Amino acid sequence: MSVSPHQIADAARILREGGLVAFPTETVYGLGADATSDRAVARVYDAKGRPRFNPLIVHVPDLAHAERLGVFGREARRLAEAFWPGPLTIVVKRRADCPVSLLASAGLDSLAIRVPDHPVAHDLLAALDRPVVAPSANPSGKVSPTTAEHVRKGLGGTVAMIFDGGACAVGLESTIVSFLEDEPRLLRPGGLAREKIERVLGHALVTSGDEAQPNAPGQIESHYAPRAQLRLDADAPQKDEAYLGFGPSYKNGANLSPSGDVVEAAANLFRMLHELDATGAKRIAVAPIPSTGLGEAINDRLKRAAAPRSSA
Ligand code: TXA
Ligand code: MG
């Protein structure tokens, strides 16, 4: 299953131009896109038919690249040094100058990062020299692919290039550990056993669901909400409201997609909400968004962002 430098260069070019490339990792095949491009990241959600914008994992060739994107404390770095490249994803705070699309982290100020252990993935990431988002390369709700043939069957029509790197050695998604709180927390069990991680740390990992309250902080935090109140399905702003338009009828000001394209709207969603929030507006009114294609995910996120804040 050898891959030529030529193919790697082709794939890097496709990614640089905003296209999608499916590539093998040691866990499962990933559906890769340039993590710094809002448009390319929106295409990933579109191709997978994701009804929601879950934050995506950003792939880099080594720890040095990872440290340009996120803030690694002592323990996060220790795990990276022990297990990268390998089936471990580390969630850390985004650096202020992090170039990764806000859509990739679903509007959060954190980032999930990993260094995959596969020669094709490594060569591609090194050649591109940009971070790559890569969810599993399957349509949403379907089983993760562990061969190129699985990817072809599921996503063949929508991906510019599918690398064949043979069967994935691990066959299970990476283990995700978050360093956003005082203690490292296991967010998703996966290809790296918890015991191995705990041995390196010298203490137990907190597990979501350990606490008495039903919602782990990590889960609450994974719902990005602007400071401003949101009013949805608004045809026009009222007095004192900032407005986020959609479609050709709203010409002045922030518009998710003047042409009414939901993929473009998805690409702009989190960035524009952040920008409007930063103006200090108390309320943001958002135009109606069609619920077809990525519109479903956009409306899902908007509804969560508009929901009354609970202190729980
Ligand atoms: O093995 C893997 O990790 C594969 C291969 C292709 O690398 N990728 C993968 O990606 O499983 P994906 O998109 O299916 O998993 C993303 C998950 C999200 O559902 C979420 O649980 C977590 O990663 N995640 C991403 N960003 C996060 C963040 N900022 N905070 C907390 N969790 C995050
Ligand atoms: Mg998946």
Side-chain angles (χ1 to χ4, degrees):
M1 248 14 96
S2 77
V3 166
S4 72
H6 203 77
Q7 282 173 290
I8 295 287
D10 275 354
R13 183 182 42 76
I14 291 169
L15 289 171
R16 216 168 273 126
E17 290 168 359
L20 306 182
V21 172
F23 62 93
T25 80
E26 80 283 28
T27 59
V28 299
Y29 275 72
L31 179 59
D34 177 356
T36 66
S37 160
D38 290 333
R39 278 309 285 255
V41 175
R43 277 197 202 107
V44 168
Y45 290 107
D46 192 41
K48 283 187 63 92
R50 279 211 170 169
R52 280 199 210 161
F53 298 127
N54 296 322
L56 302 175
I57 296 170
V58 173
H59 297 67
V60 292
D62 53 39
L63 176 57
H65 281 79
E67 296 211 55
R68 290 182 210 158
L69 309 179
V71 183
F72 283 70
R74 192 175 47 85
E75 288 202 309
R77 193 172 300 121
R78 185 181 301 162
L79 289 192
E81 282 164 354
F83 298 113
W84 281 355
L88 171 69
T89 293
I90 296 178
V91 176
V92 291
K93 236 177 114 59
R94 287 171 71 110
R95 283 175 55 124
D97 58 354
C98 175
V100 171
S101 158
L102 272 181
L103 181 60
S105 45
L108 303 171
D109 64 359
S110 58
L111 209 58
I113 310 176
R114 90 176 191 97
V115 177
D117 185 15
H118 193 290
V120 173
H122 178 270
D123 290 355
L124 182 58
L125 292 169
L128 183 67
D129 200 28
R130 286 185 201 172
V132 168
V133 288
S136 50
N138 51 281
S140 186
K142 297 280 170 9
V143 180
S144 294
T146 54
T147 66
E149 188 52 27
H150 294 163
V151 181
R152 235 172 266 127
K153 282 201 188 115
L155 295 174
T158 49
V159 183
M161 186 164 174
I162 300 172
F163 273 114
D164 193 341
C168 300
V170 176
L172 188 71
E173 284 95 340
S174 60
T175 300
I176 305 180
V177 176
S178 166
F179 285 90
L180 298 180
E181 300 157 68
D182 293 341
E183 296 292 325
R185 174 182 293 269
L186 179 69
L187 293 185
R188 177 176 81 180
L192 180 66
R194 159 208 283 272
E195 292 79 2
K196 291 195 175 170
I197 299 170
E198 293 178 337
R199 215 170 297 138
V200 168
L201 289 174
H203 62 81
L205 284 168
V206 178
T207 310
S208 297
D210 274 0
E211 296 86 335
Q213 72 262 41
N215 275 317
Q219 286 162 331
I220 292 171
E221 215 199 357
S222 73
H223 298 260
Y224 163 72
R227 249 190 321 259
Q229 283 294 323
L230 288 194
R231 186 168 68 85
L232 306 184
D233 290 318
D235 288 313
Q238 294 168 357
K239 198 167 150 280
D240 298 335
E241 278 182 343
Y243 191 61
L244 186 54
F246 176 87
S249 58
Y250 187 70
K251 294 206 178 54
N252 307 312
N255 192 323
L256 288 169
S257 171
S259 66
D261 171 6
V262 286
V263 178
E264 182 182 30
N268 288 329
L269 179 67
F270 290 110
R271 183 174 45 78
M272 289 189 171
L273 281 175
H274 271 276
E275 283 165 6
L276 290 177
D277 216 18
T279 66
K282 289 236 157 38
R283 290 214 304 177
I284 301 171
V286 186
I289 314 291
S291 57
T292 47
L294 282 192
E296 188 184 355
I298 295 172
N299 283 313
D300 170 80
R301 273 293 155 177
L302 284 172
K303 249 183 239 127
R304 288 161 191 277
R309 314 288 147 79
S310 73
S311 52

